[in-house]
Amino acid sequence: MRALDIEGAWVLEPKVFPDERGSFHEWYRGAEFREATGYDLTLAQANCSVSRRGVLRGVHFSDVPPGQAKYVTCVRGAVLDVVIDLRVGSPDFGRWEAVRLDDDTRHAVFLAEGLGHAFMALSDEATVVYLCSTGYAPEREHGIHPLDPDLAIDWPEGIPPLLSPKDAAAPSLTEARTTGLLPAYDTCRAHYRELRG
């Protein structure tokens, strides 16, 4: 696993073994995960999302604690996966980083609690699966508008974004910060230290 530039985010770039039957790769290894992050991934929920080209999901995040860490990969098609630092007080606050996830390279992304997550389907259809450290809890789940000009995420040109009504109505980064919706960097770091215990 390789650390991304945003603290708390990593990308797995596995070795894929292709042959005449297809291919094989390990998309998660506990020991490698622990070595990179310093703790184990607690698995509370696994999600599968199927999206047609242009579907834009996110930016989603949860209250910390407990937050919701995610380990994400694209098993069919391709997506542009984006991690956004939403932790107020972080030196990277408001910064984002994008990784292409597809069924060729088989990369996966891990993002710690407190980071925002979004992705856009680049192929005609894309299937994304992700492991979550906590289960879905609507009262703790929040969003930021993925087309917020203050975030200025560089979504692919020529693909009109298709958002859910909920994501289209999400507040801007500034609105979320002003209303106290965003997690605090210090709280997140304390939570990470507790996980590394």
Side-chain angles (χ1 to χ4, degrees):
M1 291 181 71
R2 174 176 60 84
L4 295 176
D5 289 338
I6 294 173
E7 177 191 354
W10 288 264
V11 61
L12 171 74
E13 298 167 331
K15 182 165 179 54
V16 178
F17 300 94
D19 64 24
E20 65 279 356
R21 299 167 300 160
S23 70
F24 173 85
H25 72 284
E26 296 171 337
W27 78 281
Y28 174 79
R29 296 183 68 206
E32 184 177 0
F33 182 89
R34 180 176 247 310
E35 184 179 330
T37 65
Y39 55 92
D40 294 318
L41 176 61
T42 301
L43 177 60
Q45 184 172 314
N47 299 333
C48 178
S49 171
V50 179
S51 304
R52 64 185 173 124
R53 181 176 165 87
V55 167
L56 176 50
R57 298 183 187 265
V59 173
H60 300 147
F61 67 99
S62 299
D63 292 337
V64 178
Q68 189 182 65
K70 295 177 182 174
Y71 190 77
V72 187
T73 193
C74 182
V75 296
R76 186 177 67 180
V79 299
L80 184 69
D81 196 84
V82 180
V83 177
I84 306 99
D85 193 340
L86 301 176
R87 302 166 297 189
V88 176
S90 167
D92 292 322
F93 178 76
R95 190 163 169 244
W96 57 270
E97 191 163 353
V99 177
R100 180 185 168 99
L101 303 180
D102 59 44
D103 58 13
D104 182 38
T105 64
R106 304 292 183 178
H107 290 177
V109 167
F110 173 72
L111 56 142
E113 298 85 347
L115 297 175
H117 181 246
F119 66 85
M120 176 185 267
L122 305 177
S123 51
D124 289 341
E125 194 171 87
T127 302
V128 172
V129 294
Y130 41 108
L131 309 177
C132 303
S133 64
T134 58
Y136 176 70
E139 69 281 3
R140 295 195 313 257
E141 308 292 328
H142 308 288
I144 302 294
H145 200 292
L147 303 177
D148 179 2
D150 286 342
L151 285 177
I153 297 172
D154 190 15
W155 297 111
E157 292 182 19
I159 304 178
L162 177 60
L163 280 65
S164 71
K166 181 180 174 183
D167 289 343
S172 68
L173 182 65
T174 300
E175 291 167 336
R177 184 175 188 175
T178 301
T179 58
L181 205 58
L182 301 177
Y185 182 59
D186 289 344
T187 301
C188 291
R189 294 196 72 196
H191 182 67
Y192 308 153
R193 283 194 298 273
E194 186 177 312
L195 291 173
R196 291 181 179 115

